[in-house]
């Protein structure tokens, strides 16, 4: 009776919060996880498969090992339940790996360049439950191998993992998303949900952060070592949850990573508190005298990055855009202004910031009048003007405006190559970077749309069978920078290119057998090999990195077309652009309320239902399809007059209907 009651009350809870398409959500429904299947087994192990799905009984004798597969990337603390042991001197070792490449009975995959991480040994003296110490939770793994290497035997009756990400959410609510996405392409659907889950995997208890025990230890040949110590027990932020760069590593709040992760979080879980805890840690570590923000906050050693400094400022602007929380913005505003002054102080007589530190997203050649850093700077100044207006702090606006105008003029004068149609990295090179060109479009440092189109086209021409390469990082594929490239294609109005890149690069990142089919890798080679040029040790690469989740927000913002324009959605835009898709449906909640847009395209026209909270206003960009005809807009409650629009061939730009009040709307277009 008790369990029946429990089941029905759970069913009620999930009914109460059910959102569409929840079968795609990869987050586990319970924190206690069992392996799903066996990857491989060697030596004498009886019934290893009995430990899959539920407890069982497997006896390990002599040299023996079984590798288990959880079928997706997970994270947490392992508990082994032990039955019979031959004597009190028995051990079971546990190794972990995200990729199938590093499944081993000798070591885990890696958290540093120093080699592979050592086996976690548990001494099992007799029957009972043996749980790893908390600092030995593993932050991301799909494979877990049990190893026995002595004379004698051990009966394992359960191999469980207690799932530790999203520590501040109720145990059975990990899949209770506040947003959803669906379209008529299953691969894109999987990509959206894998991005959302990747960000959950990167949301950790901040008391168990920082996996960099052996940071900067790169010794010749040492990456063959299989005995590298690992643990994570540094406190990386205040509060009880933090959004960090990666699950396995580095388990540090990182502002660059968050610029891609934050919008993905907003539209899937709306987990704002974890974002705040991480943002606060950046500003807590700000140099109060010159305004410099850290490359990464302590315990990471202090360092200066021109771009990461700006990303922290953008994080605050995004927080305000996503929440409309003016109190939070006010709490950081003086630090924000001090921070922008720090960047302004690096402008030289060219009008551009002169970058004097190499730290960035691990690209090479960062320095001088760098186009990426200056585009991000231009973008940040413009975001600052909007924040200053929201706060009625008009004092700094004219300086920021004139500074932005100078940066834009100088970037185009010194760094634009008209013959090729791209920006150069700085005026001493012919290298045309992926990061700087993507950011030039995202930031609108470009002066006309033909620049945008030409950048988009040139970036497409560089693709390899594995994705979009970053020439500025030895041609590595960076899903972080490609997340900005995606936006550049949408802004160039080439939806086909954006969807093609998602399918090519993120499809590979899901479907290749070396990947986890559930979370997104931080970087790899443009030849499809699992090596990432900044690292000497391939086993170090993180397969669960929030900075690689760009498609998730891009699909909601650009394809389904729900865009917040101010203060948590006080104003908004609905602008579906489906490319080759026929159907797209998305929705999400902010503090202001619920937003959704569902577009269906058919041969005879299209149909769009959208919703925005009462008290807000927005605009509709009529979907541009081959179809021309009459568009009728109707509000469900009848509180607003119907709106009729004519779409004719002469409308070069998408027709925009302004001043639409929040409510439940339906727009239909019948061709002809
Ligand atoms: C350990 O792994 C190696 C491959 O790396 C394999 O050849 C060997 O059989 C395994 N040994 C045991 C006892 O599982
Ligand atoms: C078992 O041996 C095979 C072949 O050497 C190896 O690929 C696999 O990783 C090993 N698995 C375990 C659990 O030792
Ligand atoms: C770890 O292994 C390397 C070689 O693989 C060896 O040089 C080193 O001494 C070992 N360190 C420890 C602490 O066992
Ligand atoms: C972290 O864990 C390591 C290894 O168990 C231990 O040596 C160290 O003292 C711990 N540090 C903190 C801050 O708890
Ligand atoms: C934690 O909060 C304290 C007090 O507000 C602050 O001084 C400190 O910088 C914060 N630490 C982090 C890591 O955010
Ligand atoms: C903070 O900035 C001042 C310059 O204004 C500098 O002298 C000082 O070293 C900086 N502090 C740290 C910890 O970097
Ligand atoms: C930033 O610089 C401007 C111009 O030099 C100055 O007026 C302002 O007080 C500075 N702001 C902060 C917060 O230091
Ligand atoms: C300019 O860019 C090139 C290519 O990225 C790089 O090698 C060079 O170091 C940069 N110049 C400066 C001054 O940083
Ligand atoms: C800014 O001014 C407007 C108009 O006076 C006012 O409604 C609003 O509350 C002010 N905002 C802040 C943050 O003070
Ligand atoms: C981008 O900049 C151009 C001027 O260079 C301006 O006309 C346009 O409105 C800007 N676009 C946006 C979205 O701000
Ligand atoms: C859009 O991108 C596709 C690649 O997906 C490319 O073939 C096409 O030429 C691009 N269109 C324009 C107008 O640049
Ligand atoms: C990958 O995951 C999806 C669910 O997201 C599943 O349907 C599919 O079978 C998995 N693919 C493989 C090869 O396991």
């Amino acid at each position: 009776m008790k369990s029946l009651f429990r089941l029905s009350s759970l069913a009620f809870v999930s009914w109460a919060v059910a959102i569409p398409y929840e079968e795609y959500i990869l987050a586990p429904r319970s924190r206690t996880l069992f392996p799903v299947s066996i990857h491989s087994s060697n030596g004498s192990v009886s019934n290893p498969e009995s430990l899959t799905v539920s407890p069982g009984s497997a006896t390990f004798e002599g040299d023996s090992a079984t590798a288990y597969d959880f079928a997706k990337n997970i994270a947490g603390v392992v508990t082994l339940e032990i039955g019979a042991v031959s004597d009190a001197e028995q051990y079971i070792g546990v190794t972990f790996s995200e990729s199938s490449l590093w499944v081993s009975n000798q070591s885990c995959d890696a958290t540093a360049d120093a080699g592979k991480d050592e086996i976690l040994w548990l001494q099992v003296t007799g029957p009972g439950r043996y749980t790893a110490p908390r600092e030995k939770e593993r932050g991301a793994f799909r494979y877990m191998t049990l190893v026995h290497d002595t004379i004698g035997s051990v009966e394992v009756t359960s191999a469980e993992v207690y799932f530790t990400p999203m520590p501040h959410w109720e145990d059975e609510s990990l899949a209770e998303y506040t947003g959803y996405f669906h379209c008529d392409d299953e691969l894109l659907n999987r990509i959206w949900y894998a991005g959302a889950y990747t960000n959950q995997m990167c949301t950790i208890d901040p008391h168990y952060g920082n996996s960099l025990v052996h940071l900067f230890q790169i010794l010749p040949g040492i990456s063959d070592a299989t005995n590298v110590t690992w643990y994570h027990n540094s406190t990386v932020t205040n509060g009880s949850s933090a959004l960090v760069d990666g699950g396995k590593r580095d388990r540090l709040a990182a502002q660059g990573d968050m610029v891609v992760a934050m919008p993905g979080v907003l539209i899937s879980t709306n987990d704002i508190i974890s974002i705040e805890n991480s943002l606060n840690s950046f500003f807590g570590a700000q140099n109060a005298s010159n305004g410099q923000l850290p490359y990464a906050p302590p315990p990471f050693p202090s360092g200066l990055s021109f771009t990461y400094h700006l990303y922290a400022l953008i994080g605050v602007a995004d927080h305000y855009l996503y929440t409309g929380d003016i109190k939070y913005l006010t709490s950081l505003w003086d630090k924000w202004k001090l921070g922008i002054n720090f960047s302004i102080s690096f402008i030289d007589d060219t009008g551009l910031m002169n970058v004097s530190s190499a730290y960035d997203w691990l690209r090479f050649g960062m320095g001088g009048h760098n186009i990426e850093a200056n585009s991000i700077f231009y973008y940040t100044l413009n975001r600052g003007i909007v924040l200053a207006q929201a706060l009625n702090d008009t004092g700094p606006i004219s300086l920021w405006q004139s500074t932005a105008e100078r940066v834009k003029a100088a970037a185009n004068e010194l760094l634009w190559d008209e013959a090729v149609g791209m920006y150069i990295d700085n005026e001493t090179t012919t290298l045309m970077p992926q990061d700087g060109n993507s950011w030039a479009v995202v930031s609108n440092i470009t002066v006309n749309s033909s620049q945008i189109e030409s950048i988009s086209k040139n970036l497409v021409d560089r693709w390899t069978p594995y994705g979009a390469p970053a020439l500025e990082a030895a041609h590595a594929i960076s899903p972080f920078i490609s997340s900005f490239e995606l936006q550049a294609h949408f802004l160039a109005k080439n939806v086909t290119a954006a969807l093609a890149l998602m399918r090519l690069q993120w499809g590979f990142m899901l479907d290749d057998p070396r990947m986890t089919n559930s979370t997104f890798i931080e970087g790899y080679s443009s030849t499809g090999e699992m090596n990432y040029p900044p690292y000497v040790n391939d086993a170090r690469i993180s397969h669960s990195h929030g900075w690689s989740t760009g498609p998730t927000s891009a699909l909601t913002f650009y394809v389904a077309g729900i865009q917040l324009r101010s203060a948590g959605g006080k104003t908004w835009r609905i602008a579906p652009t489906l490319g080759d898709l026929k159907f797209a449906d998305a929705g999400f909640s902010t503090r202001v309320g619920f937003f959704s847009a569902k577009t269906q395209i058919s041969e005879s026209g299209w149909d769009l239902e959208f919703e925005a909270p009462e008290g807000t206003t927005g605009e509709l960009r009529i979907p541009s399809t081959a179809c021309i005809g009459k568009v009728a807009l109707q509000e469900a409650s009848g509180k607003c007059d119907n709106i009729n629009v004519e779409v004719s061939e002469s409308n070069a730009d998408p027709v925009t209907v302004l001043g639409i009040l929040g409510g439940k709307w339906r727009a239909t277009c019948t061709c002809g």
Side-chain angles (χ1 to χ4, degrees):
M1 270 316 280
K2 197 174 167 216
S3 74
L4 259 182
F5 175 76
R6 200 175 137 72
L7 262 181
S8 62
S9 74
L10 267 181
F12 175 76
V13 167
S14 60
W15 171 81
V17 298
I19 55 162
Y21 318 114
E22 71 179 328
E23 65 275 19
Y24 286 89
I25 297 174
L26 292 164
R29 271 51 173 184
S30 153
R31 285 198 188 268
T32 301
L33 303 178
F34 297 96
V36 169
S37 64
I38 291 183
H39 166 274
S40 59
S41 192
N42 298 305
S44 168
V45 188
S46 68
N47 295 325
E49 63 286 344
S50 70
L51 299 182
T52 57
V53 185
S54 64
S57 167
T59 299
F60 291 74
E61 211 177 326
D63 268 347
S64 52
T66 301
Y68 290 98
D69 182 356
F70 286 84
K72 63 186 171 197
N73 221 347
I74 63 157
V77 181
V78 61
T79 293
L80 298 180
E81 200 164 287
I82 301 299
V85 292
S86 58
D87 56 80
E89 290 300 309
Q90 294 295 314
Y91 289 82
I92 291 281
V94 188
T95 74
F96 304 95
S97 182
E98 295 189 271
S99 169
S100 58
L101 283 174
W102 314 111
V103 170
S104 165
N105 54 41
Q106 305 287 315
S107 58
C108 305
D109 56 8
T111 45
D113 269 340
K116 298 200 184 72
D117 289 355
E118 65 186 0
I119 299 181
L120 165 64
W121 285 107
L122 298 173
Q123 185 175 11
V124 294
T125 53
R129 283 174 72 81
Y130 296 85
T131 297
R134 182 61 201 259
E135 76 270 15
K136 289 285 204 173
E137 79 176 68
R138 193 74 181 174
F141 61 96
R142 174 175 163 174
Y143 303 94
M144 179 172 92
T145 302
L146 302 187
V147 186
H148 183 263
D149 72 350
T150 49
I151 297 166
S153 67
V154 175
E155 181 198 18
V156 179
T157 58
S158 181
E160 307 167 16
V161 172
Y162 182 81
F163 187 81
T164 47
M166 302 295 289
H168 56 315
W169 277 27
E170 295 290 325
D171 286 357
E172 271 140 359
S173 71
L174 300 172
E176 286 174 11
Y177 283 16
T178 50
Y180 59 86
F181 174 82
H182 194 72
C183 70
D184 56 320
D185 179 332
E186 276 304 304
L187 178 59
L188 296 178
N189 293 335
R190 285 169 56 215
I191 289 171
W192 192 95
Y193 284 91
Y197 181 56
T198 301
N199 287 325
Q200 288 188 291
M201 286 283 290
C202 296
T203 304
I204 69 164
D205 182 329
H207 303 100
Y208 302 97
N210 186 29
S211 60
L212 299 172
V213 179
H214 296 279
L215 183 64
F216 302 136
Q217 287 180 17
I218 309 178
L219 302 174
I222 201 170
S223 56
D224 294 332
T226 56
N227 56 4
V228 175
T229 43
W230 62 275
Y231 51 83
H232 16 72
N233 54 11
S234 329
T235 298
V236 292
T237 72
N238 288 325
S240 56
S241 65
L243 181 60
V244 297
D245 59 341
K248 179 182 73 169
R249 55 143 277 279
D250 305 312
R251 300 178 72 80
L252 291 166
Q255 44 267 58
D257 306 58
M258 276 178 65
V259 166
V260 174
M262 278 178 68
V265 169
L266 166 77
I267 51 133
S268 57
T269 59
N270 199 26
D271 177 22
I272 299 297
I273 187 67
S274 306
I275 288 172
E276 272 172 25
N277 289 336
S278 294
L279 280 178
N280 290 344
S281 75
F282 309 151
F283 285 88
Q286 186 178 34
N287 182 330
S289 105
N290 68 3
Q292 181 187 332
L293 290 150
Y295 183 35
F300 197 84
S302 70
L304 166 60
S305 163
F306 281 67
T307 54
Y308 276 46
H309 172 85
L310 292 164
Y311 282 134
L313 302 179
I314 294 171
V316 175
D318 280 346
H319 180 284
Y320 180 64
L321 176 62
Y322 300 160
T323 62
D325 183 349
I326 199 92
K327 247 177 87 185
Y328 183 76
L329 174 60
T330 305
S331 75
L332 291 176
W333 185 235
D334 287 337
K335 293 182 164 200
W336 202 99
K337 288 190 286 184
L338 193 61
I340 201 81
N341 274 10
F342 178 75
S343 298
I344 291 173
S345 74
F346 289 92
I347 297 178
D348 65 17
D349 54 15
T350 62
L352 294 172
M353 249 186 353
N354 188 21
V355 175
S356 59
S357 163
Y359 284 129
D360 195 10
W361 57 273
L362 300 185
R363 54 156 291 174
F364 305 110
M366 186 59 171
H369 299 127
N370 175 275
I371 182 64
E372 180 210 15
N374 277 286
S375 295
I376 297 173
F377 181 37
Y378 174 75
Y379 179 81
T380 311
L381 285 163
N382 285 315
R383 298 291 300 268
I385 292 167
V386 173
L387 297 182
Q389 283 160 346
L391 289 160
N392 297 327
D393 180 12
T394 50
I397 291 179
S398 65
L399 172 69
W400 295 351
Q401 259 163 353
S402 59
T403 306
E405 279 160 24
R406 273 183 78 204
V407 171
K408 182 166 184 158
N412 284 287
E413 193 186 313
L414 296 175
L415 304 177
W416 176 253
D417 182 327
E418 183 62 32
V420 178
M422 288 187 109
Y423 291 92
I424 47 175
D425 211 25
N426 61 60
E427 67 275 55
T428 70
T429 178
T430 54
L431 184 127
M432 296 174 177
Q434 184 197 15
D435 61 6
N437 279 284
S438 300
W439 257 109
V441 175
V442 171
S443 68
N444 196 38
I445 206 167
T446 50
V447 285
N448 59 54
S449 59
S450 69
Q451 285 177 302
I452 297 176
E453 283 154 24
S454 145
I455 289 172
S456 164
K457 214 166 162 32
N458 279 310
L459 289 172
V460 168
D461 285 343
R462 293 176 172 184
W463 294 351
T464 82
Y466 304 98
L471 273 48
E472 66 279 21
H475 292 246
I477 289 183
S478 166
F480 173 53
I481 297 305
S482 298
S483 292
F484 301 115
E485 181 176 329
L486 285 178
Q487 293 178 45
H489 297 310
F490 282 114
L491 293 166
K493 301 194 175 71
N494 194 338
V495 181
T496 309
L499 297 183
L501 183 56
M502 287 185 200
R503 291 172 178 129
L504 177 73
Q505 183 168 328
W506 278 268
F508 172 72
M509 289 160 66
L510 272 186
D511 285 338
D512 186 87
R514 295 162 296 178
M515 304 289 189
T516 65
N517 190 25
S518 55
T519 56
F520 290 125
I521 191 170
E522 75 177 313
Y524 55 98
S525 157
S526 51
T527 59
E529 280 153 285
M530 290 305 106
N531 87 39
Y532 183 47
Y535 303 155
V536 299
N537 184 12
D538 295 350
R540 175 182 176 184
I541 300 173
S542 159
H543 282 254
S544 183
H545 237 63
W547 80 1
S548 302
T549 62
T552 300
S553 56
L555 286 167
T556 296
F557 294 161
Y558 293 104
V559 175
I562 310 169
Q563 296 169 11
L564 304 182
R565 305 209 65 205
S566 68
K570 284 298 264 188
T571 62
W572 41 266
R573 175 191 289 143
I574 301 295
T577 52
L578 272 62
D580 58 16
L581 300 172
K582 296 287 176 234
F583 177 75
D585 183 11
F588 62 90
S589 291
T590 73
R591 274 166 48 132
V592 171
F594 178 70
F595 297 82
S596 69
K598 175 158 88 177
T599 307
Q600 174 88 57
I601 296 173
S602 66
E603 267 166 30
S604 57
W606 52 260
D607 185 82
L608 161 65
E609 288 172 50
F610 63 92
E611 179 175 350
E614 296 290 327
T616 64
T617 54
E619 61 184 53
L620 168 66
R621 275 199 190 157
I622 303 285
S624 47
T625 62
C627 170
I628 58 170
K630 284 190 182 1
V631 178
L633 264 133
Q634 231 176 350
E635 205 284 322
S637 69
K639 66 175 182 184
C640 303
D641 291 339
N642 292 351
I643 303 171
N644 293 306
V645 189
E646 189 90 29
V647 182
S648 68
E649 258 162 330
S650 60
N651 299 126
D653 281 323
V655 176
T656 302
V657 184
L658 302 171
I660 303 176
L661 298 180
K664 285 187 187 180
W665 290 87
R666 177 162 195 180
T668 48
C669 180
T670 311
C671 300

